[in-house]
Amino acid sequence: MIIQTDSYGEIEYEERDLITFPDGIFGFPNLKRYLLLCLTEGDDTILLMLSTEQPEIVFAIVNPLLFCPDYAPLLSEAELSFLDAEDADELSYYSICNIRGKEEYLQSTVNLKCPLVIDPVTRKGMQVILSDPAYHYRHRFDSFSVISESADMEAEEASANAGNTTQEE
């Protein structure tokens, strides 16, 4: 199948590539079929979740474990049953992001409160609301130690490189 998009051009896909959300996702209950695309080829850190029914609807999503290694959502029996899963460990979790521009990327946010939960075998998914008070709708990227430490190292390298350039001149 082929889908034409304004932002990403023509995308060819197979039915088996689709992720299906039978109940839609919050705010988009009528959109049920999505493709996962890499934002940058070969890098699955940030994925794009593109609606095949309305291609102008695209979500940036991430695996929350990249930011929060101890992320452990608890699903109800009804949620596990909906996904035909016996154990939450056999499922994949993604969080929707609000991505800022390159200069202010540390102010981007990730929603750990309402993950997308997908069975990687059946490719059936749902969005849940977690009751754990540690998870919020808008965790800023710079609130995660793994990102803030990386940003600090990049800033130190940039500063050192700027110093080297000045000394060489």
Side-chain angles (χ1 to χ4, degrees), residues 1-2 6 9 12 18 25 32 49 57 64 135 164 169:
M1 293 186 265
I2 295 177
D6 291 337
E12 189 172 341
L18 294 173
I25 60 174
K32 310 211 186 273
M49 190 171 84
I57 304 296
Y135 303 135
N164 288 342
E169 292 175 354

Side-chain angles (χ1 to χ4, degrees), residues 6-18:
D6 291 337
S7 300
Y8 308 102
E10 192 174 273
I11 299 172
E12 189 172 341
Y13 66 96
E14 301 290 329
E15 184 76 24
R16 69 177 181 270
D17 297 330
L18 294 173

Side-chain angles (χ1 to χ4, degrees), residues 105-106 144-157:
Y105 79 95
L106 290 175
F144 299 104
S145 59
V146 68
I147 292 178
S148 59
E149 289 169 5
S150 175
D152 290 345
M153 289 188 337
E154 286 177 17
E156 287 175 16
E157 286 178 17

Side-chain angles (χ1 to χ4, degrees), residues 2-169:
I2 295 177
I3 187 169
Q4 183 64 41
T5 68
D6 291 337
S7 300
Y8 308 102
E10 192 174 273
I11 299 172
E12 189 172 341
Y13 66 96
E14 301 290 329
E15 184 76 24
R16 69 177 181 270
D17 297 330
L18 294 173
I19 303 292
T20 303
F21 292 88
D23 293 337
I25 60 174
F26 303 139
F28 301 89
N30 297 326
L31 302 180
K32 310 211 186 273
R33 298 160 44 99
Y34 294 86
L35 282 174
L36 295 184
L37 308 169
C38 290
L39 182 62
T40 305
E41 193 172 331
D43 180 3
D44 64 356
T45 305
I46 297 177
L47 298 172
L48 299 176
M49 190 171 84
L50 176 112
S51 167
T52 59
E53 296 141 319
Q54 208 171 329
E56 63 276 11
I57 304 296
V58 181
F59 299 95
I61 63 172
V62 296
N63 179 337
L65 293 171
L66 294 173
F67 297 103
C68 189
D70 58 347
Y71 188 66
L74 295 175
L75 300 181
S76 70
E77 288 299 320
E79 291 162 339
L80 288 172
S81 176
F82 180 84
L83 293 168
D84 301 318
E86 293 181 22
D87 187 353
D89 291 338
E90 55 190 69
L91 302 170
S92 297
Y93 298 87
Y94 295 94
S95 293
I96 295 177
C97 298
N98 179 355
I99 304 292
R100 303 281 185 154
K102 187 175 182 178
E103 296 299 318
E104 52 190 17
Y105 79 95
L106 290 175
Q107 295 173 19
S108 298
T109 60
V110 61
N111 180 345
L112 297 181
K113 185 77 167 175
C114 304
L116 303 171
V117 185
I118 299 170
D119 181 319
V121 176
T122 64
R123 301 184 67 81
K124 179 180 181 182
M126 70 183 302
Q127 188 172 23
V128 300
I129 300 175
L130 303 176
S131 59
D132 190 327
Y135 303 135
H136 306 287
Y137 301 104
R138 290 190 182 103
H139 291 268
R140 280 178 47 146
F141 279 17
D142 59 3
S143 71
F144 299 104
S145 59
V146 68
I147 292 178
S148 59
E149 289 169 5
S150 175
D152 290 345
M153 289 188 337
E154 286 177 17
E156 287 175 16
E157 286 178 17
S159 179
N161 289 339
N164 288 342
T165 304
T166 305
Q167 290 174 357
E168 291 174 6
E169 292 175 354

